[in-house]
Amino acid sequence: MEYTVHDLARIAGISPRTLRHYDAIELLKPAHHSAAGYRLYGSAEVDRLQHILFYRELGLSLSVIRDIMRDPAFDGVKALRDHRENLLTKRRQLAVLIANVDRSIAATEGRVTMSETEKFEGFKRQLIADNEAQYGPEIREKYGDVVVESSYSQVQHMTPDDYAEWTRLGEAVKAALRDAFQTGDAASAKAQEAADLHGRWLSFTWTQYSPAAHRGLAELYVDDERFRAYYDAEQLGMAAFLRDAIQIYTTRTE
Amino acid sequence: MEYTVHDLARIAGISPRTLRHYDAIELLKPAHHSAAGYRLYGSAEVDRLQHILFYRELGLSLSVIRDIMRDPAFDGVKALRDHRENLLTKRRQLAVLIANVDRSIAATEGRVTMSETEKFEGFKRQLIADNEAQYGPEIREKYGDVVVESSYSQVQHMTPDDYAEWTRLGEAVKAALRDAFQTGDAASAKAQEAADLHGRWLSFTWTQYSPAAHRGLAELYVDDERFRAYYDAEQLGMAAFLRDAIQIYTTRTE
DNA sequence: CGTAAACGTTGACGTTGCGTGAAAGTCAAT
DNA sequence: ATTGACTTTCACGCAACGTCAACGTTTACG
């Protein structure tokens, strides 16, 4: 029994276009062509297509499927395991995303108090950096367990006093940093004060503080554009300056 | 203070290319251009960009973000709520996907018994159709609550005897259908027997059987290419024939 | 003041998995 | 001979940019 694209597509529940696509990318080629150039598939191709669609249902990319099927010796289970890891990562990201969307809806909707709304502004400012810290596996690998817990839950449960203090600290860091930046010396008293304030500011949202983690974040402040945003917005180069100050600060306190 | 693409990109933690892209798609245009054609951004643009990036972090598409920002009267909360629904759907799909990948790994890895592996073959055959039934919201809307529970868990807990019976029934459906197809009469005794067998076969994996749901699935067998696969592989037109038989069968038994 | 470095500009292709025409040839039935 | 239902090969479109390429501008330095 031979099938044209239409027949096979119908049997497998896909479109003729998909079959042509699979032909083009060398994933599933017809058994042969008719005199008029029609693609003709045999039962072997039907079987192969079933396998392809099985993997596709599991969400694997066509290129991976091609690799799996090209060589029977190819480690299909490893591919599935890798795929599983990707899916788990996706799930984690999705969970954070949903939580953030929920918070955003609640905040803009006004279901929260005025002070909550105010806190939300602080949350927004941290959102980008936090997300990046959670999503970037390469960053994680690079800096180990710099634990940047989802900070909003912490912020949310702050008392108004705590929140005021937290905000004040953040401003104090900036102010100290501005002064210190004039001197140009990261080891100066002002700069070290800024580093200290920054450490205390962090402690408000971090579950545990450690000089190593603090230093790791300082690196991030420069390496990752995301983190530079906040301080470099004040003055270009200030993020790098803060990093230097923290480097010195953490080495001294260790 | 004016910023070039590089400056603004640095401040916001994105790439210059992204800014050009946003310019191109009319999402964020520079305040004006220098004599040499350089894009120049002011503080208003910095603010706008912050908003854009905030929404982007929440996973909204740029076109939606543009809609939200174009008109202040635009219902941003509704957009977020819609977005939330999408995310929840995604999460559900992801959960099913992960479960299926796990099963596939377990099965191919041999951590399951021989009879389990055999069952897995049956599972694979149902996977595509099941997934489609779960993922296709339009199908759900169309046919209401045709409850096609994730069948594998049911299959998995079948006793060997039950499984044998289930498989036998599936074959019996096909056999009866083949015979009935010759007659060409969906109301014939043979065809009605096939419909009855099919209903019993379904009852093995469905939590509850109802004529309406049975009829709904029969429609699916023809409307959705996915479902046609299994029966039309035997002979083109058999899926439609089965549907007709089921239509008559369910009307009679109701 | 010449020059190199570091920026800026506008194309334009690549990525993923097909959907969707367009233009033109093929096949079976009327 | 004409339809209608198929087939073929391009080729653009989608999302959000990354990544050259080819070429002009600004700035810092000797």
Side-chain angles (χ1 to χ4, degrees):
Chain A
M1 183 62 185
E2 299 220 301
Y3 306 93
T4 69
V5 276
H6 193 246
D7 295 339
L8 182 55
R10 193 188 159 80
I11 287 176
I14 57 178
S15 74
R17 174 69 178 94
T18 299
L19 285 174
R20 270 178 231 124
H21 183 57
Y22 289 177
D23 185 4
I25 65 172
E26 312 257 285
L27 180 57
L28 179 69
K29 310 212 102 209
H32 62 275
H33 292 263
S34 76
Y38 284 24
R39 292 175 180 78
L40 295 174
Y41 300 87
S43 58
E45 283 71 33
V46 177
D47 282 355
R48 185 178 166 89
L49 181 56
Q50 295 299 345
H51 279 106
I52 292 173
L53 294 180
F54 168 67
Y55 283 120
R56 194 182 72 162
E57 284 302 319
L58 295 182
L60 285 121
S61 72
L62 297 185
S63 65
V64 170
I65 295 176
R66 187 174 43 198
D67 291 342
I68 293 175
M69 307 207 46
R70 192 177 43 195
D71 181 2
F74 190 92
D75 195 344
V77 177
K78 185 184 181 314
L80 282 181
R81 240 193 289 276
D82 289 351
H83 183 52
R84 191 189 124 90
E85 281 311 307
N86 293 336
L87 293 179
L88 291 181
T89 301
K90 262 194 188 174
R91 186 168 64 179
R92 258 179 279 127
Q93 296 179 351
L94 207 52
V96 175
L97 213 53
I98 291 172
N100 284 339
V101 170
D102 283 347
R103 290 162 191 161
S104 301
I105 291 174
T108 51
E109 227 181 11
R111 274 200 277 103
V112 287
T113 67
M114 221 40 164
S115 74
E116 290 290 318
T117 308
E118 193 189 338
K119 288 179 194 172
F120 181 66
E121 288 307 308
F123 160 61
K124 269 168 69 175
R125 285 217 312 264
Q126 285 211 334
L127 184 59
I128 293 171
D130 276 6
N131 278 355
E132 198 52 30
Q134 289 192 34
Y135 289 172
E138 70 290 342
I139 291 179
R140 284 194 154 173
E141 258 185 80
K142 218 165 160 188
Y143 299 102
D145 48 2
V146 181
V147 183
V148 184
E149 287 288 291
S150 177
S151 63
Y152 184 64
S153 60
Q154 319 255 2
V155 177
Q156 200 174 29
H157 295 110
M158 280 185 197
T159 67
D161 282 356
D162 279 352
Y163 183 74
E165 173 66 8
W166 184 60
T167 310
R168 201 193 58 72
L169 266 176
E171 288 306 314
V173 171
K174 264 199 171 176
L177 204 54
R178 254 195 307 269
D179 290 354
F181 195 65
Q182 307 289 350
T183 73
D185 179 12
S188 68
K190 254 307 182 207
Q192 288 306 297
E193 186 193 326
D196 181 62
L197 285 167
H198 185 260
R200 288 202 274 149
W201 177 75
L202 269 183
S203 301
F204 266 71
T205 53
W206 277 16
T207 47
Q208 77 246 40
Y209 172 88
S210 81
H214 195 182
R215 201 160 47 234
L217 189 71
E219 275 304 328
L220 272 182
Y221 271 20
V222 180
D223 278 18
D224 193 281
E225 314 271 350
R226 293 288 172 108
F227 288 87
R228 276 210 296 261
Y230 189 64
Y231 293 105
D232 266 13
E234 187 77 18
Q235 198 151 0
L236 282 178
M238 227 157 94
F241 183 79
L242 177 58
R243 177 207 47 188
D244 294 341
I246 292 174
Q247 291 269 5
I248 297 167
Y249 175 77
T250 53
T251 312
R252 281 184 187 169
T253 57
E254 234 170 4
Chain B
M1 184 61 185
E2 300 220 300
Y3 306 93
T4 68
V5 276
H6 193 245
D7 294 339
L8 182 54
R10 194 188 158 82
I11 288 175
I14 57 178
S15 74
R17 175 69 178 92
T18 299
L19 284 174
R20 271 180 235 120
H21 182 57
Y22 289 177
D23 185 4
I25 64 173
E26 312 257 285
L27 180 57
L28 179 69
K29 308 209 104 322
H32 62 275
H33 291 264
S34 77
Y38 283 25
R39 291 175 179 78
L40 295 174
Y41 301 86
S43 58
E45 283 70 34
V46 176
D47 282 354
R48 186 179 166 89
L49 182 56
Q50 296 297 347
H51 280 104
I52 291 172
L53 294 181
F54 168 67
Y55 283 121
R56 194 184 71 162
E57 286 301 320
L58 295 182
L60 284 116
S61 72
L62 298 184
S63 66
V64 170
I65 295 176
R66 188 174 41 198
D67 290 342
I68 293 175
M69 306 205 48
R70 192 178 43 194
D71 181 2
F74 191 93
D75 194 344
V77 177
K78 183 184 183 314
L80 283 182
R81 241 194 289 275
D82 289 350
H83 184 51
R84 189 189 126 90
E85 281 310 307
N86 292 336
L87 293 179
L88 291 181
T89 301
K90 263 194 187 175
R91 186 168 65 178
R92 257 180 279 127
Q93 296 179 351
L94 207 52
V96 175
L97 212 53
I98 290 172
N100 284 339
V101 170
D102 283 348
R103 290 162 190 161
S104 302
I105 291 174
T108 51
E109 226 181 10
R111 275 200 277 103
V112 287
T113 66
M114 220 40 163
S115 75
E116 290 290 318
T117 308
E118 193 189 337
K119 289 178 192 172
F120 181 67
E121 288 306 309
F123 160 61
K124 269 168 69 176
R125 285 217 311 265
Q126 286 210 335
L127 184 59
I128 293 172
D130 275 8
N131 277 355
E132 198 52 30
Q134 289 193 31
Y135 289 171
E138 70 290 341
I139 290 179
R140 284 193 152 174
E141 258 185 82
K142 217 164 159 187
Y143 299 103
D145 48 0
V146 181
V147 183
V148 184
E149 286 288 290
S150 177
S151 64
Y152 186 63
S153 61
Q154 318 255 3
V155 177
Q156 200 174 29
H157 295 110
M158 281 184 196
T159 67
D161 281 356
D162 279 352
Y163 183 74
E165 172 68 6
W166 185 59
T167 309
R168 201 192 58 71
L169 265 175
E171 288 305 314
V173 171
K174 265 198 172 177
L177 204 53
R178 254 195 306 270
D179 290 354
F181 196 65
Q182 307 289 349
T183 75
D185 178 13
S188 68
K190 254 303 180 210
Q192 287 308 295
E193 184 193 327
D196 180 63
L197 286 167
H198 184 259
R200 287 203 274 148
W201 177 75
L202 271 182
S203 300
F204 266 71
T205 52
W206 277 18
T207 46
Q208 76 247 41
Y209 172 88
S210 79
H214 194 182
R215 201 159 50 233
L217 189 70
E219 274 305 327
L220 272 182
Y221 271 19
V222 179
D223 278 17
D224 193 283
E225 314 270 350
R226 292 290 172 107
F227 288 86
R228 277 210 297 259
Y230 189 63
Y231 293 104
D232 266 14
E234 187 77 20
Q235 199 153 0
L236 282 177
M238 227 156 95
F241 184 79
L242 177 58
R243 177 207 46 188
D244 294 341
I246 292 174
Q247 291 268 4
I248 296 166
Y249 174 78
T250 54
T251 311
R252 281 184 187 169
T253 58
E254 233 170 5

